[in-house]
Amino acid sequence: MMQAFLTARVAKLLVFFSLVLFGNGALAEESRTETLRFAKGATGTSVTSKITGYDSVNYKVTAKAGQHMVVKLSTSHSATYFNVYGPGSGPGDAAIFIGSTSGGHFATTLPESGTYTIQVYMMRSAARRNESADFKLRVDIDNAKKSSRE
C-alpha cells in the first residue's frame, strides 16, 4: 500500500516538473530568418514587419569588405532593438553592434566579406509581457566611404 502511494506521488511530481520544464511553449523564443535582397541597381532596401514577445527576426545580407553599411530601425516601441553580427556568427555570439546600448542607427565600413546578420528583437522586460512591435528596418550598402543616408 505504501509503495503504491509513493509510486503515485513520484509520478505526479514527474508530470509536474515535466510541465514546468517543457510545457510552457508560449514563452519559447520564435526566430525566423529572411534574406534581404536589393532591387537591381539599388544600394539598399527596407522591410516592414512585426514581432511579438520573445519573437525575433534575423535578416541576412551579403556584402564585401570595404563596403559601407548603414542600418536604421524605426519603431514606436521603445524596447525594440537590433544587433548586427559579422560573417560566421549570429545570435548567441558576440555582436559587432548592440542596439540596446548604441541606439537605432549603425554605420560602418565593413571589415570582411560575407553574410552579415541583423537581428531585430524586443528587450526581455517587454517580451515577457508579450508586447508587440511594428518596425521598419532600412539597410544600405554601397562602395562609398560615407553614405548620404547616415
Side-chain angles (χ1 to χ4, degrees):
M1 177 85 165
M2 183 65 131
Q3 186 176 3
F5 174 75
L6 289 175
T7 303
R9 192 161 182 114
V10 168
K12 287 179 184 177
L13 284 172
L14 287 173
V15 169
F16 172 76
F17 285 118
S18 295
L19 289 172
V20 169
L21 291 174
F22 306 110
N24 203 348
L27 295 179
E29 180 179 325
E30 293 293 325
S31 178
R32 69 181 191 271
T33 301
E34 298 180 16
T35 301
L36 292 179
R37 302 196 193 289
F38 296 2
K40 186 173 178 142
T43 59
T45 190
S46 293
V47 62
T48 302
S49 192
K50 179 179 185 172
I51 55 174
T52 299
Y54 288 97
D55 294 352
S56 63
V57 186
N58 298 312
Y59 294 101
K60 302 282 190 176
V61 61
T62 302
K64 296 179 183 173
Q67 288 186 306
H68 191 71
M69 177 188 277
V70 177
V71 181
K72 292 181 187 177
L73 178 68
S74 302
T75 181
S76 61
H77 194 284
S78 62
T80 304
Y81 297 99
F82 72 93
N83 293 338
V84 179
Y85 299 91
S89 63
D93 298 324
I96 61 174
F97 176 83
I98 300 171
S100 63
T101 58
S102 300
H105 181 264
F106 167 74
T108 194
T109 299
L110 299 174
E112 61 183 308
S113 297
T115 300
Y116 287 78
T117 301
I118 304 162
Q119 177 194 36
V120 178
Y121 66 97
M122 199 175 302
M123 293 296 286
R124 191 175 90 184
S125 59
R128 72 173 168 240
R129 291 188 298 267
N130 208 37
E131 294 179 10
S132 293
D134 293 317
F135 66 88
K136 179 179 179 181
L137 186 73
R138 175 74 191 179
V139 179
D140 290 285
I141 300 174
D142 59 36
N143 292 321
K145 292 285 183 194
K146 289 281 186 188
S147 173
S148 61
R149 289 172 289 284
E150 288 186 55

